Amino acid sequence: MTTLAANKPAYDGQALDLTGKSGARAFKNTLATVLITLAFVLAMIPLIWILWTVVSKGYHLLFDANWWSQSQRGITVRREGGGAYHAIMGTLIMGLITAVIAVPIAILGAIYLVEYGKGTRLARAVSFMIDILTGVPSIVAALFIYAVWITIFGFNRVGFAVSLSLVLLMLPVVLRSTEEMLKLVPDELREASYALGVPKWKTILKVVVPTAFGGIITGVMLGLARVMGETAPLLILVGYSKNINLNPFDGFMGALPTMINQDRTELALQPAADRVWAAALTLILLVLALNLLARLVARFSAVKSK
């Protein structure tokens, strides 16, 4: 005891302070905080500017019940009236078809890359092709579907062809986001399931996917937001119709991006300008509503911790 007491360092009754910062460290910390805050503010300025411009110029028509229940049939660019029902339904139908095709393929592809194909040549090839597909412009995807759907098979320009081209744009977004979410699932959960004798496919279905479900849904919504505002596939693969057409396999269809494109050349006319801004705001609200719905689904479907 005497030896330990003799070797114990003396601090003169004062506690050792390890929380203080030197002058240089405090300056660097403050500088980094200021720069990060400034970068955030600079990034928010154009976003707020765009939102304010669209909302201030487009909210008037959204309070009109006809905007949500009527089409633009018989309405010219110089005439007021009509609504966006045909465009809203066309956008939702083509987006739904795109999601039905792209989401299962993307999720299954991500599961293969993370759970089954680690380090294999096929997995590297798939990953490489997804990287290439990520950078494909929307007009190139539309031209590819045009060459296959119309030139080779001889089908007509319809809404379903647009959905096929949008699948090529949505697929890499959903697959990459799902892949990252699956990688974040702790390996301990998989190993605990295997230790209980649960087969791998059931572990993926009952443990891995539910754990990453919230992130997967977020990726799906990002993919939908990516494709619902595309205009090039609509211009190439289906004509714009002012009438209500709910059949994606027959005839031209309206959509919010092509409705905006229809009136944008006549922005000097107030009725056309009002419809352009209102359609843009409707598209933003539509994407926002889908994101809120996805968050609710993810919240109520998430795995509950005991």
Side-chain angles (χ1 to χ4, degrees):
M1 296 296 294
T2 305
T3 305
L4 291 175
N7 293 333
K8 183 178 180 180
Y11 295 109
D12 298 330
Q14 297 180 357
L16 182 61
D17 184 12
L18 299 177
T19 61
K21 300 177 182 177
S22 64
R25 291 178 60 198
F27 173 76
K28 292 178 181 178
N29 182 71
T30 303
L31 179 61
T33 303
V34 171
L35 291 177
I36 292 173
T37 305
L38 181 61
F40 171 76
V41 172
L42 291 176
M44 291 298 295
I45 288 175
L47 175 61
I48 296 175
W49 190 0
I50 292 172
L51 289 177
W52 170 254
T53 302
V54 175
V55 171
S56 62
K57 294 185 177 183
Y59 77 93
H60 306 88
L61 290 181
L62 269 63
F63 291 104
D64 186 357
N66 292 333
W67 178 260
W68 305 98
S69 61
Q70 295 184 5
S71 68
Q72 288 291 307
R73 182 177 183 179
I75 305 298
T76 63
V77 292
R78 298 177 180 273
R79 179 182 169 188
E80 296 182 355
Y85 177 78
H86 66 299
I88 295 172
M89 294 305 298
T91 300
L92 288 175
I93 290 172
M94 287 184 280
L96 178 61
I97 295 174
T98 302
V100 168
I101 299 174
V103 171
I105 298 175
I107 293 178
L108 291 175
I111 290 174
Y112 171 76
L113 292 178
V114 175
E115 304 293 338
Y116 291 98
K118 288 183 179 180
T120 63
R121 291 184 178 180
L122 180 58
R124 289 194 294 268
V126 171
S127 182
F128 176 72
M129 296 306 297
I130 291 298
D131 290 338
I132 294 177
L133 200 59
T134 303
V136 172
S138 60
I139 191 170
V140 174
L143 289 174
F144 171 74
I145 297 299
Y146 184 92
V148 176
W149 182 262
I150 298 175
T151 304
I152 296 178
F153 292 105
F155 297 135
N156 295 324
R157 297 169 63 202
V158 291
F160 183 73
V162 176
S163 297
L164 293 179
S165 67
L166 296 180
V167 167
L168 300 178
L169 304 176
M170 185 176 179
L171 183 63
V173 177
V174 179
L175 192 147
R176 281 303 183 204
S177 61
T178 303
E179 181 184 4
E180 294 304 318
M181 291 301 104
L182 294 177
K183 287 180 179 178
L184 292 177
V185 176
D187 288 336
E188 289 79 2
L189 294 178
R190 298 179 177 88
E191 293 169 357
S193 180
Y194 298 152
L196 294 174
V198 180
K200 187 170 186 176
W201 68 270
K202 188 172 288 188
T203 298
I204 296 171
L205 186 63
K206 298 293 186 179
V207 177
V208 178
V209 172
T211 304
F213 188 73
I216 294 174
I217 291 295
T218 301
V220 171
M221 289 301 104
L222 289 175
L224 272 178
R226 162 78 169 84
V227 302
M228 289 181 68
E230 290 292 346
T231 307
L234 294 166
L235 296 177
I236 295 174
L237 295 171
V238 66
Y240 174 69
S241 173
K242 293 184 177 182
N243 300 327
I244 298 174
N245 178 20
L246 305 182
N247 185 359
F249 299 97
D250 183 30
F252 292 170
M253 290 187 71
L256 289 171
T258 45
M259 183 178 178
I260 296 171
N261 181 73
Q262 179 74 13
D263 288 333
R264 69 175 177 81
T265 57
E266 302 292 343
L267 288 178
L269 303 174
Q270 192 60 41
D274 290 340
R275 284 192 290 269
V276 167
W277 290 111
L281 180 57
T282 303
L283 183 59
I284 293 175
L285 293 177
L286 193 61
V287 174
L288 177 61
L290 290 174
N291 276 275
L292 293 177
L293 178 62
R295 287 183 178 274
L296 288 176
V297 172
R299 175 174 296 181
F300 289 107
S301 303
V303 177
K304 302 295 188 298
S305 58
K306 302 297 182 180

